[in-house]
Amino acid sequence: MSAEEFSRFSDMKMFMHHIYEFKKGVRNLVLCTMCRTCAELVGARLRRQQIDYVIQEVVGNKVNLYFGKRACLDAVKTFIDKPLNRLTPEEDFMLGAMLGYDITLQCERFCNRKRVSAATV
């Protein structure tokens, strides 16, 4: 197995684990960055399992694939019209919280980003 094949195999195992967590209610929203070809395969699997998803173009052959509850995806669609590094501090906080990141760390990240954005004004 080549390094690229192993990487794709590992990515698919991680993806399957994310589906498992979503179905068990551990996660309401999942974000995976992958190549466009992988996203097509993953999208087909999500459709078969009747799981909603959204794809965001990144750069080159990379895309962000979000899947989860419709309400979360509807919220995400309101601000993924730009690269993730251009999210406002509020959007970044909301996305991190919806993805299940540690809330205290998200609060610290939010405050730091607000401080930086206030200093550049």
Side-chain angles (χ1 to χ4, degrees):
M1 181 182 292
S2 71
E4 184 177 327
E5 289 171 326
F6 180 77
S7 176
R8 284 191 179 162
F9 175 72
S10 295
D11 289 346
M12 289 307 288
K13 279 183 66 173
M14 179 62 70
F15 169 71
M16 295 305 297
H17 182 71
H18 286 315
I19 286 180
Y20 172 81
E21 288 184 337
F22 171 70
K23 286 186 165 187
K24 291 294 183 185
V26 174
R27 297 182 185 276
N28 293 316
L29 181 70
V30 177
L31 165 60
C32 302
T33 302
M34 59 187 66
C35 72
R36 193 175 317 283
T37 304
C38 292
E40 289 172 13
L41 296 170
V42 166
R45 183 167 205 123
L46 291 170
R47 282 189 302 277
R48 282 193 306 274
Q49 295 191 27
Q50 298 181 326
I51 298 173
D52 294 323
Y53 69 95
V54 172
I55 293 178
Q56 174 192 26
E57 301 295 321
V58 177
V59 66
N61 190 35
K62 295 285 183 189
V63 297
N64 287 330
L65 185 140
Y66 302 81
F67 71 88
K69 295 199 175 171
R70 174 56 40 203
C72 295
L73 293 171
D74 288 344
V76 163
K77 284 193 287 189
T78 68
F79 58 79
I80 62 166
D81 57 340
K82 57 190 165 276
L84 296 181
N85 65 347
R86 291 197 182 149
L87 295 179
T88 66
E90 293 80 6
E91 292 165 340
D92 181 80
F93 178 84
M94 189 166 74
L95 179 60
M98 289 190 309
L99 289 169
Y101 296 171
D102 180 274
I103 291 298
T104 302
L105 293 176
Q106 281 301 109
C107 290
E108 291 170 2
R109 178 179 169 90
F110 172 77
C111 291
N112 288 335
R113 291 192 67 194
K114 286 297 274 191
R115 251 189 308 279
V116 168
S117 67
T120 60
V121 173

